[in-house]
Amino acid sequence: DQQVKQNSPSLSVQEGRISILNCDYTNSMFDYFLWYKKYPAEGPTFLISISSIKDKNEDGRFTVFLNKSAKHLSLHIVPSQPGDSAVYFCAASASGYALNFGKGTSLLVTP
Amino acid sequence: EAGVVQSPRYKIIEKKQPVAFWCNPISGHNTLYWYRQNLGQGPELLIRYENEEAVDDSQLPKDRFSAERLKGVDSTLKIQPAELGDSAVYLCASSSSGTHGGAEQFFGPGTRLTVL
């Protein structure tokens, strides 16, 4: 069963606007959440993470929000740039180590 | 600093043939992971090593898959014999146990396996 779900397979956003990628999880034991970015023919690259003791973490243009009661997190990219076009994976772990990944959301940022 | 190195990048074999993948993690990273990523899916963990010890191999199909990490540095993942359903990208990742128990993992480029 899929414990981490990304229900939007794709998203298209205009350059300069905000991109919002969503992720839901079912396992209440998850205490650490990460976003990875993947370009074709490359491995996933770590982007940003958040611990369950926080509800927001910001790094430059990227912000991750965590709503534990709803078991939901989102990644905001502001402003979006064409180079952000990639597949974004949400991942979660319980007490470290094993990562459970969602199926990914393909983001396309158009000029 | 060099990233995670994997080879080969691509491999095409016929079913029932053996195949092996090699991974060299980031220097100093004690934890090494092998993942399999099927088309349209996220990576799924096959095995995790702490140094040379396999501490989580619950998802490794042990009838045909094997892995080793001699000397606790580089690692090899083997499939023998390969089946059509093994076609996937095999990703190696490593982490330092000092970062949230190792949750921030760094991935190699992967090996794309095609079984004909």
Side-chain angles (χ1 to χ4, degrees), chain A:
Chain A
D1 63 331
Q2 195 82 18
Q3 299 185 69
V4 177
K5 299 177 183 178
Q6 294 177 257
N7 293 319
S8 297
S10 63
L11 175 67
S12 183
V13 172
Q14 273 192 322
E15 181 178 7
R17 306 294 290 266
I18 183 172
S19 295
I20 300 176
L21 294 90
N22 293 303
C23 177
D24 297 293
Y25 62 96
T26 58
N27 189 340
S28 59
M29 299 299 292
F30 288 149
D31 60 358
Y32 200 68
F33 305 89
L34 307 90
W35 285 94
Y36 281 82
K37 176 179 178 180
K38 186 180 183 306
Y39 292 116
E42 295 183 11
T45 302
F46 170 74
L47 191 58
I48 192 169
S49 62
I50 187 167
S51 165
S52 60
I53 63 173
K54 295 185 176 181
D55 55 18
K56 177 183 174 181
N57 189 27
E58 206 169 342
D59 184 1
R61 297 186 296 113
F62 302 91
T63 303
V64 56
F65 295 92
L66 175 63
N67 182 335
K68 288 194 295 292
S69 61
K71 294 191 176 68
H72 177 84
L73 66 156
S74 61
L75 174 68
H76 292 209
I77 307 173
V78 182
S80 300
Q81 299 173 354
D84 296 329
S85 298
V87 177
Y88 289 79
F89 289 97
C90 173
S93 72
S95 302
Y97 301 117
L99 289 179
N100 294 268
F101 284 85
K103 292 185 178 182
T105 296
S106 179
L107 173 66
L108 177 64
V109 180
T110 57

Side-chain angles (χ1 to χ4, degrees), chain A residues 32 36 41 43-44 89 97 102-103, chain B residues 9 37 41-42 100-101 104-105 108:
Chain A
Y32 200 68
Y36 281 82
F89 289 97
Y97 301 117
K103 292 185 178 182
Chain B
R9 292 294 311 275
Q37 184 176 15
Q41 305 291 318
H100 190 82
E104 291 179 14
Q105 300 173 20

Side-chain angles (χ1 to χ4, degrees), chain B residues 40-86:
Chain B
Q41 305 291 318
E44 295 177 328
L45 181 69
L46 291 173
I47 189 168
R48 172 169 69 92
Y49 281 93
E50 289 294 334
N51 298 305
E52 66 273 11
E53 182 182 358
V55 295
D56 183 358
D57 63 356
S58 57
Q59 301 304 311
L60 190 72
K62 298 182 185 63
D63 56 337
R64 298 182 300 106
F65 286 65
S66 64
E68 60 183 14
R69 192 185 183 197
L70 301 175
K71 300 181 182 178
V73 180
D74 56 349
S75 176
T76 303
L77 177 69
K78 297 178 182 177
I79 308 175
Q80 183 172 10
E83 296 180 352
L84 295 176
D86 296 331

